[in-house]
Amino acid sequence: MKLPIQDNEFLFLLSSVTIVIVLEVLSIIGLHIPQPYAPFVFAAFIIGIGHGVLLNGIKAIFKLKFSSINLLMTIAVVAAFYLEEYPEAAVVIVLYVLGERLEDIGLENSKLALNQLVSIAPKTAFVKSENKNVPVNAIAVGTIIQVKPGEMIPLDGKIISGETTVDEAAITGEPIPKDKHQGAILFAGTLNKDGFVEMETTTLSTDTTFAKIIRLTFEAAASRSDTQKFIQRFSQFYTPIIIAMAVLIFAVPVFILQLDFDLWLKQAITLLVIACPCALVISTPVAIYAAIGNASAKGALVKGGKYIEAMAKIKAIALDKTRTITYGTPIVSDIFPLNGTSRGELLACTAGTEFFSEHPLAQAIVTASRAEGFEPHKAESFKSIMGKGATAKCLVCTDKTVFVGKLEFIREYHEISEDAEKIVEKLATEGKTSVVVSFGQGVDGIIGLTDAIKPDSVTAIKELQALNIELIMLTGDSEKAAHYVANSIGIKKVYGDLLPEHKSEKMSALLKEYGSVAMVGDGINDAPALASSTVGIAMGAAGSDTAIETANIALMNDKLCLIPLLIRLSKKTLLRIKTNTIGAIAVKMVFIALAFMGYGNLVFAIAADVGVTLIVILLSLNLMRFENK
């Protein structure tokens, strides 16, 4: 834990604590500040360091607010001063104030990742038309701004000239910089590494993805978890009970059993000090802040502490297929040259025809052809037949007319061989799309395309299954395509051909079956299911307003493998909170029992209270370093 040593107030507090403890130790071994100076010296420390606590305690007395921790500490200090235990009275107040400051430091450190987001946000941008830096909040959508190498990108937009490499770790948590060319999307708060670019802004400063992350993350920090709410409610009842117990531990021995007044007053004070619920109150928020900060640093935006708790209790996860398990863009997976056609000729001729089309399947074939070293053949007379296919005349292959499209489209012009029928059928059973090609004499080749599975999807699925999470696929894609992808990655339960409302209905059924169910989707057509699930998780949320607004957790870097990490982190966080709480209560019970037996020691009680608080803070902050092992 980093302490703010540059903070003069904190240095003064540490110095005061050191002096008071030294004076207390000297007092224990028989070296005292002589009278009449002792009460004034220690009163100076008490008032100088603890005036805020004492004032709040006095206010609580007048308001009859017996749940106030400050009231508890004020009673302890006044009673210790009455007993002429001046060093103990000073130690009580300065260590309590130190504990309070350490709690603040714990929260500040656990929110460090969030504060860093704010600190790196650019405040101005260089506007080309004005040839000067302008505050980002005064820049309109559509403004051309310039970004030099090494500068932070100030607003969301797209490159209109230049190329560069951009570090997007602040948005996605992805450590590897991405190459950006003309037309590429840029996010505010990311770092322009090595190129000069001009970009056109697409959002206002208040609407950038970066601004939304900052706003939602701080809202998440303010959104209390169920455990945190319970602890705070508990402390409201706990403090009055402790005050009542302290009154009993003093009144019964003194007024009923006629035992020593000062001894049992000291035991009552000891009870008040050790019972202070600092460690209990601080254990949950520091742990939750640390977990949210850890997740944010890795590219997962968690919208509240309650979702950290909810992830730890998830029994099943429903996943969309497209853009969640798969990339959502088609790639060529199979190439079947037929009728004596070579692989190169099939690809180059088909790509030459598809070159004129903007359809994703067509562009995938062009990309595949170039990737294998076959430049698309020049063609002319391109004609698209809606929903069926396209034709064009190849200028390289002796003016061949190329027919490209569905099997039924080719059948309208040429006979289809049995081999071609079987290939198309086989590709269909694998959930793949067939593009049938003819050069004028039957079928000359078939190209199979599929939606490629993300490399980390298989790993993520295995990790989730190892955590005993039931996995279900809910997709709007065809049953065949859904089953093929599901079988490839090991998912057993599959529901295909689902419209958005059908996904929501399935989610309701899954909630009844499993109790706690997360939904993972791209945040667009999955919005109803995301909203109705226990925890909605949006994939690839960078730049997607719908995903960021709808989901409870947004994975900014499009990585499915973050979900097992979130589940493990959530389980670790809940375990840490329980451990902290049980440990703090155990220490308090020991000292409370000693106080009831008349063996309570005020100095040890103070040391134990501050020590437990510090341990709780350190253990909670350690969640910032949690990794998915």
Side-chain angles (χ1 to χ4, degrees), residues 3 28 92 122 134 149 158 225 291 312 326 369 372 397 411 421 438 461 488 514 525 534 537 560 574 581 624:
L3 300 179
I28 292 172
V92 165
V134 176
K158 61 181 180 180
S225 68
T326 65
S369 182
E372 293 199 19
C397 301
R411 198 191 301 276
E421 296 265 14
S438 172
I461 296 302
S488 300
Y514 295 102
N525 60 348
T534 307
I537 305 173
L560 198 63
L574 283 195
T581 304
M624 286 291 294

Side-chain angles (χ1 to χ4, degrees), residues 279 576 580 608-621:
R576 185 57 46 81
N580 288 345
D609 183 55
V610 175
V612 169
T613 300
L614 184 56
I615 290 170
V616 162
I617 292 170
L618 290 172
L619 289 175
S620 297
L621 285 177

Side-chain angles (χ1 to χ4, degrees), residues 353 356 380-385 389-393 401-404 409 413:
T353 299
F356 296 97
E380 63 179 10
S381 304
F382 173 81
K383 182 180 179 182
S384 175
I385 296 89
T391 63
K393 183 171 288 187
T401 298
V402 182
F403 296 81
V404 177
F409 171 63
Y413 300 91

Side-chain angles (χ1 to χ4, degrees), residues 115-124 136 152-154 188-189 210-211 214:
N115 291 325
Q116 285 176 340
L117 285 176
V118 177
S119 66
I120 66 174
K123 305 298 185 292
T124 62
V136 292
M152 301 299 296
I153 293 167
F210 188 73
I214 293 173

Side-chain angles (χ1 to χ4, degrees), residues 249-271:
I249 205 175
F250 166 70
V252 172
V254 172
F255 298 112
I256 297 177
L257 303 178
Q258 304 298 311
L259 298 178
D260 184 72
F261 183 94
D262 288 353
L263 171 64
W264 287 101
L265 180 57
K266 186 178 290 187
Q267 298 307 313
I269 297 169
T270 302
L271 174 62

Side-chain angles (χ1 to χ4, degrees), residues 446-524:
I446 298 171
I447 298 174
L449 297 100
T450 188
D451 187 358
I453 297 172
K454 297 176 185 176
D456 79 321
S457 292
V458 177
T459 303
I461 296 302
K462 288 180 179 178
E463 288 186 27
L464 289 169
Q465 289 171 336
L467 291 169
N468 295 317
I469 304 293
E470 187 71 32
L471 300 175
I472 305 99
M473 182 184 290
L474 304 181
T475 179
D477 209 343
S478 69
E479 287 277 358
K480 288 182 178 179
H483 278 282
Y484 178 76
V485 171
N487 291 335
S488 300
I489 59 175
I491 294 179
K492 305 299 182 186
K493 289 189 177 182
V494 182
Y495 300 95
D497 294 315
L498 299 178
L499 295 174
E501 59 268 28
H502 299 148
K503 288 186 180 181
S504 184
E505 291 169 4
K506 284 292 182 186
M507 178 53 64
S508 298
L510 292 173
L511 286 167
K512 289 180 181 178
E513 183 177 356
Y514 295 102
S516 295
V517 184
M519 174 68 196
V520 188
D522 58 31
I524 302 171

